Amino acid sequence: MEISRLPSIEKRPFATVEDPSEAIVLTTEPAWECARAISINPRQRISIHGNTQADMEAIAEACEGEVVYGIGGGLAIDTAKLVAAANNLPLIALPTVLSTDAFLTDATGVREAGCVRYLPTKTPDTVIVDMEVLCNAPASMRASGAADVLSIATAMWEWQEAEKLGENRADERVTRQAVDIGDALLQTLLDNARDIGSGTPEGLTCLFELLCMEVQLCNLCGHSRLEEGSEHYFTYALENRLTVPVLHGELVGLGILLMAVLQSQPWLQYRHALECLQINYRPTAVSPDAIAETLTHLSAYVTQHQLPYTVASTLRITPEIAERTIQTVLD
Ligand SMILES: [Zn+2]
């Protein structure tokens, strides 16, 4: 059994990063601005926009250099992972915001046919964490990655429900210890949500460690069922109805609340946590109509994309149920 490992983590200011190697830098304009203190030697600096496999492979084919740097949030680092893996190059990740766990994982999420697929790529060799940069990220983004820990609330519930119904594949069976550890991560997030949301070094260190442990737990399980369930499937489906990009954490946050209500869970504690985390679960770019249509089509969507068993697999969400659920969550 091979268990994916976390990358080597170096906590130090970006200003101490010096590397004369010819670098391929994959980033975004705002992220590059945050990392301007680093002293590296970019042979190419590419601003990332596309999120499909074809977009990323085109960059992988066109680039030349000795080392890949992924600087930014999820998309820039996910692209860097694919580019480094395709060219067999070392990869250094500099997250400028804790908006996802992408800098810790060994796969790249790509958008394909209206859904998300994870391609095995590579874990960064080194992650450089500058706490001051992470603390100075905009409040609305800085703890957005916490939604991928909070999603344990709905995803792990469904993973256990699937186990009771005999719906889990032989290699995705629930274990008591995975559930106990998942519960502990979720509870730690709920207990520290205010500190994390206010962006203190202690709070963001807590979030960073929770992301490490959540990824390590998924690595140990060999799948992500305990943190990726209907709240994520709702997010992937809803993305197709949006005309502007919305932060992953905001969509997942909304998905957690809706699914927790549909699961008859005590969901108010999760809304309170999102508020403490300063994650906006009601982004203006998402209309109530788009939410309602996504909910009523969710069961067809998960069937079409052959996604694992969740509450979306069996629950028939009528327009009336959708409307009531949305009102409950957003009022
Ligand atoms: Zn996620």
Side-chain angles (χ1 to χ4, degrees):
M1 178 186 183
E2 182 123 356
I3 302 169
S4 277
R5 285 188 298 183
L6 291 179
S8 157
I9 310 273
E10 294 180 12
K11 284 197 178 177
R12 56 192 175 105
F14 286 166
T16 66
V17 177
E18 275 182 54
D19 183 357
S21 321
E22 288 200 339
I24 303 156
V25 180
L26 304 173
T27 187
T28 60
E29 287 309 319
W32 180 244
E33 187 58 28
C34 293
R36 63 181 182 275
I38 59 173
S39 175
I40 59 171
N41 175 25
R43 176 168 174 154
Q44 290 172 309
R45 176 162 67 86
I46 303 168
S47 268
I48 303 302
H49 302 288
N51 59 14
T52 68
Q53 186 175 356
D55 291 330
M56 297 184 193
E57 281 175 349
I59 295 172
E61 271 170 39
C63 68
E64 272 179 57
E66 299 169 323
V67 57
V68 178
Y69 277 79
I71 303 176
L75 182 60
I77 292 177
D78 256 0
T79 306
K81 283 150 64 178
L82 185 142
V83 168
N87 290 287
N88 208 8
L89 290 172
L91 171 61
I92 300 171
L94 280 70
T96 54
V97 59
L98 293 179
S99 56
T100 70
D101 57 14
F103 60 92
L104 298 168
T105 68
D106 61 359
T108 291
V110 293
R111 266 57 185 176
E112 192 180 275
C115 196
V116 173
R117 201 155 71 89
Y118 289 92
L119 306 173
T121 51
K122 72 175 278 177
T123 305
D125 297 287
T126 304
V127 175
I128 299 174
V129 177
D130 183 335
M131 284 311 295
E132 202 179 316
V133 169
L134 298 179
C135 292
N136 285 331
S140 60
M141 298 173 75
R142 123 189 112 192
S144 193
D148 279 336
V149 180
L150 190 61
S151 62
I152 292 172
T154 41
M156 201 166 75
W157 186 94
E158 292 172 329
W159 185 36
Q160 290 175 276
E161 200 63 19
E163 185 75 15
K164 282 185 217 152
L165 298 171
E167 293 282 347
N168 286 331
R169 289 182 357 196
D171 57 347
E172 294 189 352
R173 297 291 300 274
V174 169
T175 65
R176 189 66 245 166
Q177 59 276 21
V179 171
D180 286 346
I181 298 167
D183 273 334
L185 298 182
L186 176 61
Q187 194 55 50
T188 306
L189 178 76
L190 296 175
D191 292 345
N192 292 280
R194 197 167 293 285
D195 272 355
I196 295 170
S198 48
T200 60
E202 295 74 23
L204 290 186
T205 299
C206 176
L207 175 56
F208 178 80
E209 291 179 3
L210 284 170
L211 289 171
C212 288
M213 287 186 276
E214 172 253 309
V215 169
Q216 193 65 305
L217 183 56
C218 289
N219 287 345
L220 195 63
C221 292
H223 58 82
S224 303
R225 295 282 299 281
L226 66 97
E227 67 93 20
E228 187 186 35
S230 59
E231 73 300 315
H232 270 82
Y233 306 154
F234 165 82
T235 296
Y236 304 151
L238 177 58
E239 279 181 1
N240 295 310
R241 296 176 190 275
L242 302 181
T243 48
V244 292
V246 178
L247 277 175
H248 181 68
E250 297 183 347
L251 299 179
V252 171
L254 173 62
I256 291 167
L257 299 183
L258 295 165
M259 297 307 144
V261 170
L262 292 169
Q263 294 165 350
S264 306
Q265 286 208 59
W267 60 279
L268 269 169
Q269 57 180 330
Y270 307 137
R271 187 166 75 177
H272 177 67
L274 288 169
E275 281 161 3
C276 292
L277 291 163
Q278 303 198 40
I279 295 176
N280 178 17
Y281 58 88
R282 43 200 327 161
T284 46
V286 179
S287 69
D289 281 354
I291 303 173
E293 283 161 22
T294 304
L295 285 175
T296 49
H297 291 99
L298 197 56
S299 149
Y301 180 86
V302 298
T303 306
Q304 182 198 344
H305 294 284
Q306 300 181 318
L307 298 169
Y309 178 91
T310 62
V311 73
S313 314
T314 46
L315 188 65
R316 239 187 67 67
I317 306 174
T318 61
E320 295 71 37
I321 294 175
E323 194 172 329
R324 203 164 57 230
T325 310
I326 295 166
Q327 264 179 12
T328 304
V329 163
L330 296 185
D331 275 2

